[in-house]
Amino acid sequence: MLRKLPEFVVVCCALLCASCETTTPLTPEEKARLAQKEAEMKERYLKRIQSVEASCYEVLGELGPKVVEYNENETTGYSGAIFATGRFYPIDLEEAVAKQGMGDFVTVRYIVEGSPADAGGLLLGDRLLRLNGVKVPKGERASTFVVEKMGKLWLVDDSNLLVIDRNGEEITLEIEANRSVSYSVIVMPFIGESVYAEGKAIYFPLESMEGLEEEELDYICAYALVQNVMKHARMKGQNEFIGSVLDLAAAVSGVNTGGIFGSMGRNAHKAGFQIESDILALYALANAGVDISGYPDFWEEKLLEEKKVMDRVTRERIGAMRQVVAEIEEKRLRSEPISPTEYLAGGWERIDPLELSEPIETRGEAIETPVN
């Protein structure tokens, strides 16, 4: 099945075909109207991208403080201000992006209402010049700065000095930053249906994200966020590198492995990474007040649609989800902290999936509902 093309691409192709079919040249007025129509299409398409972007940032902003305990090395300061450059968006939308005041410089793209950045006076369109004394680069390095370096410059639970350019005037602001984790969000067309958490940013597919219900968006964002926090992409890369070394060593010995060791390394612990992401995502969601009861059904339907068959790895993953949902409910009934303490301490074990269909009260000791 062909992927649905962006609206402005369809319009541009139609206009091109129309111009090829006629021998009558377009008048300047007609060219201007067509150019205006194309520009409007691109602006609408950019707004679609930014709408998904804003929704993802809202969810990730809520979940960030909930997952920071999973990996202290990923701790960053979170102000509620989202920074971006024009390079965060498709090149075809360059003119529409420029109209919003973005280009090859770091600009405030979004501010979470009620956040420290909002209270501190930061405004949309402000260009960041310095952050805690560090000069912010322009050009090609601006995007790298936002994605890879900026998060670590924020002082956690302290005031941060920002020098910004607002309509040509330099202004210094003091902005608080809370303890959290934070990653850049890139919303892209033509990347299929999957979300890619590559360690420093999270790439979301535009069209499949647009049709999600609120809780479904929560589920996907939580799963992707945990992948970055736990550095799964880096660990998968290390496994693949080791496998590739074995392939090379075998080739030197005259054995053609066909890259099998690299493939094995790439897939090593894949199921473990997925289950870990689900476990920690469920706890983060539960702590954020999200209803997690639909999490297993959502992923079961989604994975079955993608794979067309429920393989062993997928069955194990869905079973683990249902187990964790039940365990979190047990902790609620016992008025225990909703924290993945057992898992992070290495004491979590899978149970027989058949037991998950039994009422919670029949598994282990009876649970007494606390009396208020």
Side-chain angles (χ1 to χ4, degrees), residues 209-225:
M209 298 297 291
E210 285 184 308
L212 295 176
E213 300 291 336
E214 183 177 346
E215 286 179 352
E216 295 173 340
L217 177 67
D218 293 338
Y219 297 160
I220 287 181
C221 286
Y223 182 78
L225 178 62

Side-chain angles (χ1 to χ4, degrees), residues 239-261:
N239 290 337
E240 183 175 5
F241 174 75
I242 294 171
S244 298
V245 170
L246 294 177
D247 284 324
L248 180 61
V252 171
S253 302
V255 179
N256 181 8
T257 65
I260 188 171
F261 288 119

Side-chain angles (χ1 to χ4, degrees), residues 288-322:
V290 177
D291 180 5
I292 61 173
S293 61
Y295 187 95
D297 290 339
F298 167 74
W299 282 109
E300 183 173 17
E301 181 178 348
K302 183 175 179 61
L303 294 171
L304 185 57
E305 181 179 349
E306 291 177 0
K307 297 185 176 184
K308 309 302 180 186
V309 63
M310 190 64 64
D311 58 22
R312 179 185 59 81
V313 171
T314 303
R315 287 196 300 272
E316 289 182 358
R317 182 181 168 190
I318 301 300
M321 293 179 199
R322 299 193 188 283

Side-chain angles (χ1 to χ4, degrees), residues 269-290:
H269 308 301
K270 181 178 180 180
F273 288 143
Q274 292 173 339
I275 290 175
E276 178 175 73
S277 295
D278 290 318
I279 292 172
L280 298 181
L282 281 164
Y283 273 96
L285 290 163
N287 275 302
V290 177

Side-chain angles (χ1 to χ4, degrees), residues 7 39-49:
E7 181 183 12
E40 291 172 356
M41 295 291 184
K42 290 183 177 182
E43 289 173 11
R44 285 199 294 270
Y45 192 63
L46 177 60
K47 288 180 180 178
R48 285 176 57 195
I49 290 175

